[in-house]
Amino acid sequence: PAHVYATPFIEQLLESARNGQWLAISYRSERGASQQTILPRHIYSSTGFWYCEAYSHERREERTYRVDRFVDVRTTQPPEQVEPLPPSLPYGHPSHPEVRILLTARGMLAMERDPHLGDVIQPYGEDGGLLCFRCPPDRYDWLVHTILGLENDAEALAPDSLRQRIQQAAQTIARRYAE
């Protein structure tokens, strides 16, 4: 889908990814505003939005940023003590836990549209499906949100750590409406 939004820093992000230039950024996410020092690695488009995969010095991990959420971007010197940058591992890497999600027919129809997971749905039973893929645990927040959005049309079977995070998020929602 096409989205109309401003990406004033996209050229600078592309140039920094191409040249290995560190950036001091201000970023606005659902958790609030943050200041970070990042090293952009890849810029790509998906579902109508631009994304920047970058190593965050403060978080000490690879992160994915939506380009339209950058508030300020400035070139900066590399941090004084930079740990060796970890290689960027693909989702299917064997070191990541296997995620298994059981879907109803309705859940399958909803997930078929997902650009990342739509093509890994396997038929399961008469009308349902099974999502099986490997995923880094730092992406579980997105999975929790997605699974809760599917309500009763999805059930995470594995790993247990994902199931526990879904349970905690559901309990938090339930407590909000119990008051």
Side-chain angles (χ1 to χ4, degrees):
H3 297 280
V4 178
Y5 59 96
T7 56
F9 305 109
I10 195 162
E11 292 298 327
Q12 190 171 8
L13 292 166
L14 284 165
E15 191 66 25
S16 293
R18 189 173 19 255
N19 295 327
Q21 173 67 53
W22 286 85
L23 298 173
I25 64 160
S26 295
Y27 188 75
R28 179 186 41 86
S29 73
E30 18 184 83
R31 292 191 182 106
S34 66
Q35 308 296 315
Q36 297 178 48
T37 307
I38 66 168
L39 180 62
R41 294 206 180 177
H42 306 284
I43 310 297
Y44 65 93
S45 176
S46 178
T47 64
F49 290 103
W50 283 99
Y51 294 90
C52 172
E53 288 180 356
Y55 178 77
S56 169
H57 177 66
E58 289 75 14
R59 306 288 196 275
R60 302 227 182 319
E61 66 182 5
E62 280 293 317
R63 304 288 292 237
T64 301
Y65 301 88
R66 246 193 40 206
V67 171
D68 59 305
R69 293 184 179 167
F70 284 96
V71 177
D72 187 42
V73 173
R74 297 178 318 279
T75 59
T76 189
Q77 294 299 314
E80 286 187 25
Q81 295 180 328
V82 177
E83 296 175 15
L85 298 180
S88 182
L89 299 176
Y91 263 71
H93 195 271
S95 68
H96 299 313
E98 183 179 51
V99 172
R100 296 172 53 83
I101 301 169
L102 186 61
L103 300 169
T104 65
R106 183 176 163 173
M108 273 182 46
L109 291 173
M111 289 307 298
E112 284 175 344
R113 293 177 284 201
D114 186 275
H116 305 290
L117 300 176
D119 59 347
V120 297
I121 300 172
Q122 305 166 14
Y124 188 83
E126 288 196 26
D127 295 325
L130 187 64
L131 274 171
C132 293
F133 59 97
R134 295 197 175 272
C135 176
D138 66 355
R139 305 303 172 124
Y140 285 0
D141 285 345
W142 176 83
L143 274 175
V144 168
H145 176 76
T146 299
I147 292 167
L148 287 176
L150 291 171
E151 300 173 357
N152 291 322
D153 294 311
E155 179 186 356
L157 304 175
D160 285 337
S161 58
L162 175 61
R163 289 176 54 84
Q164 290 168 357
R165 287 177 67 173
I166 294 167
Q167 181 183 28
Q168 290 168 349
Q171 287 171 344
T172 300
I173 293 168
R175 279 193 301 273
R176 179 178 295 145
Y177 291 99
E179 297 173 357

